[in-house]
Amino acid sequence: VIYNDANDYNVIVGEGDPWAREVVGVIDFGDMLHSYTVGDLAVAAAYAMLDKPDPITAAAHLVAGYHQTFALTEQELELLYPLIRARLCISVTNSAYQQQVEPDNEYLVISERPAWILLERLEDVSEEFAHCAFRHACGLAPESRSSAVVEWLEENANSLGRVVEPDLKVDDVVVLDLSFSSRELGDLTELSDVEAMTQRLFGRMKAAGASVGVGRYNEARPIYTSELFKAEGNDGAEWRTVHLGLDLFMKAGSPVFAPLDARIYCFCNNAGSLDYGPTIILEHKVANGTLTFFTLYGHLSNDSLEGLYDGKPVRQGERIARIGDYPINGGWPPHLHLQIIVDMLDREGEFPGVALPGQRDIWLSLSPDPNLIARIPADRFPSDEMSAEAILDVRDRRLSPTLSISYNEPLKIVRGGMQYLYDEDGRAYLDAVNNVAHVGHCHPRVVRAGQEQMAVLNTNTRYLHESLARYAERLCSTLPEPLRVCFLVCSGSEANELALRLARSHTRSEETIVVEAGYHGNTTSLIEISSYKFDGPGGAGPPPNVHKVPMPDLYRGQYKRSDPLAAGKYASHIAGEVEQIQQSGGQVGAFICESLLGCGGQIVLPTGYLSEAYRHVRNAGGVCIADEVQVGFGRVGSHFWGFETQGVVPDIVTLGKPIGNGHPLGAVVTTPEIAASFANGMEYFNTFGGNPVSCAIGLAVLDVIEAERLQENALKVGARLMDSLRGLMEEHPLIGDVRGLGLFVGVELVLDRETLEPAADQADYVVNRMKQRGILLSTDGPFHNVIKIKPPLVFTEANAEFLVSTLDKVLTEDFLKA
């Protein structure tokens, strides 16, 4: 007896962890009947596949879970896909009948439209591929015949003929790295310039003294990220990046030979851009005709197809083709694509040469390693890269446990490009949180500046070099008077550490006023002035010389946006701390505040707050430090520096993170008066601060901000992003507040807009689901319920629209509605 109606309207799940929720019950037993047990799975899978861009993957998850509890037989696995389609046919037929019987009952036809769409989509899915996917979900070899083909090729390796000249077994070949982490490719990761790519690859071969360059099997490659290789997955766009063949880069016109007896199975000129071009597929019957497999030869010359016909016999060692040239070969550098195929999946003239990473094992089973035929010695291939699991193991054993990792499922990132990061399989992630890559990950102008200077000189500042002088002049020109004296360091923490020394030397006092939830760095003295740390886990509170004032949060704090005097009221707490210091006989040393609070939850200071705060501190003889490590260099859009939005000029400004676009660089800029107080005879020297490479990179960052008008872009895109995010608030009550300036944005999630109860679990869920859908975000704030958005400034309006539309979808998911 089977339940026969497991759909999303009838299944009840438990509460708790959204990543581990379990089915706790079902309702509606009216469809129960006596039938084949696997029918229950077929019915459930049919419903699970509705409205899914990749229905087979959706079904495979269900198959995997079912098999773990109630193991499927081989016969059930073979029949499962036809049963799923049969159920869909019954569903649409029944819906048509029910419409006639009860035309006003909408529930009876609720699945009709998606069922028809799914039936049409499944017309393009091979029954054998679905079978392979379901076998793989059960932990079985996806293609059951693959192991027999591999075994035969291994046992008969010595009797196989060559594929090309020279002999790949003994002659010099060089294995090329075309992966996402490739340094050989550099910035040539697209085939927009085939000539440059050809020169790069053949230049590498020439340098190695090799006539053949080998492109690896099972390698995820960035050259397959055009729209041609794009597919819509269940969590956003995916690309077929995993190479299923072996590439042999050789001169155009080089001959190609049949490695063993065969017949022409099919041939075709796949003439589309970035396709195979002229292609031949051979069929091989071996083991006395009991075993069949195929070999594909792609990117051939036009004349390779002359005189061919289906079924034409081919003898081992016979020349069957020549390697084609650009653009006849599909638009690639000259090479042969060699691929083994176990099952043609009812295809003619072509077969996928690259696969989606999520389907990697299935396609590798359908297309085993072509080196079984090419027989290039294993020692020519580099060792495999460390897996994510291996890296995690080393981190656990060798690195401090205090070093955290982002996301429930950690990412292994191997390449960056402007506002995108790429994992080892080539999944592109829109980076909406890494503000360090200020002008874009691996911006070519910044990279080139560092490379060129590194090739000439890198030394310390005790020698004269022009780039230091030019950078100091250029940096100071962006700041108002009297901020005219620079100290160049290596990080934001070093900058804030030095700022404290400057202030204490000038005022001869260590009494420091700080803002609640502020964060300024990771050194001992900076932890002591960072409420985010000393009030957090493992913290011991502030030392006696550190005085904390409330965070000026107009959403959650004591004084709200509706209060026109909020800025002055928040600043009055600073006046109170000043008075307390003076009453105890002390001298105010410094007030340090981020121009916009990052770890505090993306807090925009009330208008006039800093001017009042600075007034109180300066009247008491103290120094005002503006921490611009997070928000400087045009991020706020309306101004180059965050403190400028408050109409103030600090005494000391600290810079880091975006200043070097990921290169370790930081700076402190102060007044001549304070700099003179610091010059007390003790030299301040920083071995790497202000070195020629860092200065060249810093200059390039400033050049790019100006040339690409990134401050203007931050203003325009940031305004549109915040408007769109605020537009979600009516639909999603979970969003309590949207705030920010430019591309410094916070979205605070609350369980109740009246009580402002933080929705930390929900924020964590959103960030992890957004990651799964290809967008990187993070959380911040004292309650970790604020989604922070601080992307590289090359973020576009289209990126903003994608972020908002994806967030809209995630916020409709059941866990968040519950």
Side-chain angles (χ1 to χ4, degrees), residues 102-122:
E102 297 185 58
D104 297 327
N105 190 338
E106 294 184 3
Y107 177 77
L108 295 175
V109 295
I110 198 167
S111 300
E112 181 181 26
R113 182 197 60 81
W116 270 117
I117 292 173
L118 178 56
L119 275 169
E120 293 168 359
R121 181 169 287 155
L122 294 181

Side-chain angles (χ1 to χ4, degrees), residues 138-210:
C138 296
L140 304 172
E143 170 50 69
S144 59
R145 293 163 292 181
S146 186
S147 59
V149 172
V150 170
E151 184 178 348
W152 187 90
L153 288 169
E154 288 175 339
E155 291 177 351
N156 293 273
N158 293 332
S159 62
L160 298 177
R162 60 185 174 173
V163 178
V164 294
E165 291 178 341
D167 188 340
L168 300 177
K169 300 190 299 295
V170 296
D171 288 317
D172 287 334
V173 300
V174 58
V175 176
L176 304 170
D177 183 359
L178 306 179
S179 70
F180 273 85
S181 57
S182 170
R183 295 174 185 172
E184 291 179 13
L185 286 178
D187 59 351
L188 280 178
T189 56
E190 297 181 5
L191 281 173
S192 54
D193 189 343
V194 178
E195 185 175 337
M197 180 72 78
T198 302
Q199 290 177 349
R200 178 74 60 85
L201 297 178
F202 280 78
R204 172 79 174 87
M205 291 158 53
K206 183 178 180 181

Side-chain angles (χ1 to χ4, degrees), residues 463-775:
Y463 304 99
L464 300 181
H465 57 85
E466 182 181 346
S467 58
L468 172 61
R470 289 179 58 229
Y471 186 59
E473 291 277 21
R474 183 81 174 277
L475 186 61
C476 286
S477 71
T478 68
L479 291 155
E481 293 284 357
L483 296 168
R484 285 295 174 265
V485 180
C486 284
F487 296 81
L488 295 179
V489 294
C490 301
S491 69
S493 288
E494 276 195 10
N496 279 326
E497 181 77 26
L498 178 56
L500 278 185
R501 288 184 59 191
L502 289 167
R504 290 168 179 177
S505 293
H506 186 67
T507 63
R508 299 184 181 278
S509 171
E510 295 188 4
E511 301 294 331
T512 307
I513 300 174
V514 303
V515 177
E516 178 189 21
Y519 175 67
H520 303 288
N522 58 22
T523 66
T524 299
S525 60
L526 296 181
I527 295 297
E528 290 177 350
I529 66 166
S530 296
S531 166
Y532 184 74
K533 290 295 185 182
F534 65 62
D535 283 334
N545 66 305
V546 175
H547 309 269
K548 183 178 67 174
V549 297
M551 178 169 60
D553 181 353
L554 294 176
Y555 176 69
R556 185 177 287 279
Q558 183 178 357
Y559 314 112
K560 310 295 185 182
R561 290 194 184 101
S562 56
D563 186 347
L565 302 178
K569 291 178 179 178
Y570 276 118
S572 68
H573 290 275
I574 297 172
E577 293 299 328
V578 168
E579 183 178 355
Q580 181 180 340
I581 292 169
Q582 292 175 331
Q583 286 179 350
S584 62
Q587 158 72 38
V588 176
F591 167 64
I592 184 168
C593 181
E594 300 162 83
S595 299
L596 287 84
L597 275 63
C599 292
Q602 311 301 101
I603 301 297
V604 179
L605 301 176
T607 302
Y609 172 75
L610 283 186
S611 61
E612 281 296 290
Y614 283 13
R615 182 174 65 84
H616 292 310
V617 171
R618 284 169 172 163
N619 286 345
V623 167
C624 298
I625 304 171
D627 183 336
E628 290 272 337
V629 171
Q630 294 259 22
V631 299
F633 294 89
R635 176 165 294 278
V636 297
S638 58
H639 298 79
F640 199 77
W641 302 107
F643 66 76
E644 292 176 311
T645 65
Q646 290 278 313
V648 297
V649 178
D651 302 302
I652 303 173
V653 179
T654 59
L655 315 173
K657 294 188 187 298
I659 189 173
N661 206 54
H663 180 81
L665 177 62
V668 179
V669 186
T670 189
T671 66
E673 182 184 6
I674 292 175
S677 298
F678 189 62
N680 59 7
M682 179 187 292
E683 180 187 20
Y684 176 79
F685 177 69
N686 188 310
T687 301
F688 298 109
N691 69 76
V693 173
S694 294
C695 290
I697 288 173
L699 282 165
V701 170
L702 293 174
D703 288 340
V704 171
I705 293 172
E706 182 178 349
E708 298 184 11
R709 305 175 71 176
L710 294 185
Q711 180 181 330
E712 180 182 323
N713 186 67
L715 182 65
K716 178 180 67 173
V717 176
R720 180 163 182 172
L721 175 60
M722 280 187 281
D723 284 346
S724 298
L725 289 169
R726 289 176 179 132
L728 297 180
M729 295 181 70
E730 183 175 346
E731 184 74 18
H732 305 290
L734 193 64
I735 300 177
D737 191 37
V738 175
R739 53 183 176 258
L741 291 175
L743 284 174
F744 184 94
V745 179
V747 179
E748 181 153 359
L749 303 188
V750 294
L751 296 176
D752 187 295
R753 289 182 180 174
E754 294 298 322
T755 65
L756 305 187
E757 182 181 353
D761 290 343
Q762 289 76 6
D764 180 73
Y765 176 85
V766 168
V767 165
N768 279 283
R769 282 294 289 133
M770 292 289 280
K771 187 270 288 186
Q772 289 178 338
R773 297 185 69 90
I775 300 175

